[in-house]
Amino acid sequence: LWLHPPPSHKWDYRYHRWSLCSQEICFKHPLSAAFFGAGKVMPIKRGDGVDQPLLLQFCQRAAKPGSWVHLFPEGKIFQSGSVGSLYFNARPPAVAADIGKLKWGVGKVVAHCPNPVALVPLHHVGMEGVVPQRSDGELRTHVPQPGNEAVLRVGREVYVDDIIEEWEAENGKLWKYGESGAERWESTRKEKELYSKIARRVEEALEDLEREAKADTTPGVVEGYRRIGEIKVFNEQEEEREREAGEENQSLYR
């Protein structure tokens, strides 16, 4: 999507999308920082929560009328085959059932936008063959693998105006980006509940696309899910071998 916008917008920087990337990955070195920064990507720090200054800086730049913002609401790359499923650093099922599988940052970005937001969910299958991961998130290779088919599914627009209106009717007007509200960037408990509700609606939309994908008989999709199963088994076998090797090494030093 970044490389192939409509022809009328391709060379107009104003219409290119904004996005976030982990600062310890995309902004680790000056060269990569310059590359991603030129593509309208800004840094975020994993684990610092919805009140981190980096998210505020992003929203002040990107969350404006007419902007296109591309977010990864799981907060990391998941190759488990299911939205926010139990994967490295994912929320345990009991916690996910209570507060949702997705990160609340997407809720905060949307909640304080000065204009209504149209959310377009995207779901893809096949990238796990292009750049496969271990179950701990480490890449098996940094070189994209050829001969793999990736299938992208685009969902219908999702709106959360009703959630925001219901919250404001009970709690008062939300401050918006562009107003003198940055000093209130630290979220209240009630605001976090709102962010969670917004993220849950996005989660539902992504799960709908996931169900469509798993019912799809397109060869690329079927192959993608078959490969996910193989990678999962391979990861489990490798972890078992590493565990056994670790136990053997420990026995040598006893």
Side-chain angles (χ1 to χ4, degrees):
L1 286 174
W2 176 23
L3 296 176
H4 299 285
S8 59
H9 295 164
K10 189 168 186 178
W11 305 112
D12 194 331
Y13 189 74
R14 296 173 300 170
Y15 295 112
H16 290 196
R17 67 92 181 92
W18 288 94
S19 191
L20 286 168
C21 186
S22 173
Q23 63 178 10
E24 66 269 22
I25 296 176
C26 295
F27 294 85
K28 188 175 181 179
H29 303 292
L31 186 60
S32 62
F35 173 78
F36 286 103
K40 296 177 75 170
V41 177
M42 294 181 67
I44 197 76
K45 186 174 182 180
R46 285 177 176 169
D48 266 22
V50 296
D51 294 332
Q52 61 175 289
L54 288 174
L55 185 59
L56 172 60
Q57 294 171 17
F58 175 76
C59 292
Q60 289 174 332
R61 293 284 302 277
K64 296 178 179 180
S67 289
W68 171 19
V69 177
H70 186 191
L71 298 178
F72 298 84
E74 289 174 303
K76 58 180 70 68
I77 298 172
F78 277 72
Q79 294 186 353
S80 60
S82 296
V83 175
S85 63
L86 192 56
Y87 202 49
F88 74 100
N89 293 331
R91 290 172 177 162
V95 176
D98 183 33
I99 65 173
K101 299 175 184 177
L102 304 184
K103 303 299 184 183
W104 293 355
V106 64
K108 186 164 189 176
V109 171
V110 171
H112 299 285
C113 282
N115 294 82
V117 176
L119 296 160
V120 181
L122 303 175
H123 178 276
H124 61 78
V125 178
M127 288 300 294
E128 65 285 335
V130 179
V131 184
Q133 290 177 315
R134 292 163 49 96
S135 57
D136 60 2
E138 290 296 318
L139 298 181
R140 294 193 176 281
T141 174
H142 288 80
V143 180
Q145 303 299 294
N148 292 282
E149 181 179 356
V151 179
L152 173 68
R153 194 174 298 269
V154 181
R156 295 181 177 178
E157 293 179 352
V158 176
Y159 294 93
V160 296
D161 306 50
D162 59 314
I163 297 177
I164 294 174
E165 289 170 2
E166 181 182 351
W167 189 93
E168 289 185 328
E170 182 179 340
N171 301 281
K173 294 289 289 183
L174 287 162
W175 63 269
K176 304 295 182 179
Y177 305 119
E179 299 175 353
S180 57
E183 68 275 10
R184 290 179 282 151
W185 181 245
E186 186 172 345
S187 306
T188 65
R189 180 180 62 82
K190 284 285 188 180
E191 287 173 334
K192 289 180 180 179
E193 291 174 359
L194 170 64
Y195 309 153
S196 177
K197 284 186 176 180
I198 293 173
R200 290 298 283 265
R201 182 163 292 182
V202 175
E203 178 184 324
E204 291 169 1
L206 289 172
E207 288 180 332
D208 286 343
L209 288 180
E210 181 186 311
R211 281 189 286 271
E212 290 181 17
K214 288 183 175 179
D216 192 346
T217 57
T218 302
V221 176
V222 173
E223 173 64 16
Y225 279 111
R226 185 194 66 76
R227 190 186 298 111
I228 288 172
E230 287 185 348
I231 291 172
K232 182 179 180 181
V233 171
F234 181 84
N235 284 336
E236 290 173 349
Q237 292 174 343
E238 186 174 73
E239 288 169 0
E240 179 64 19
R241 287 194 295 268
E242 290 176 352
R243 185 184 64 78
E244 291 175 352
E247 291 177 352
E248 183 178 341
N249 289 336
Q250 288 180 8
S251 65
L252 293 175
Y253 290 99
R254 286 173 184 166

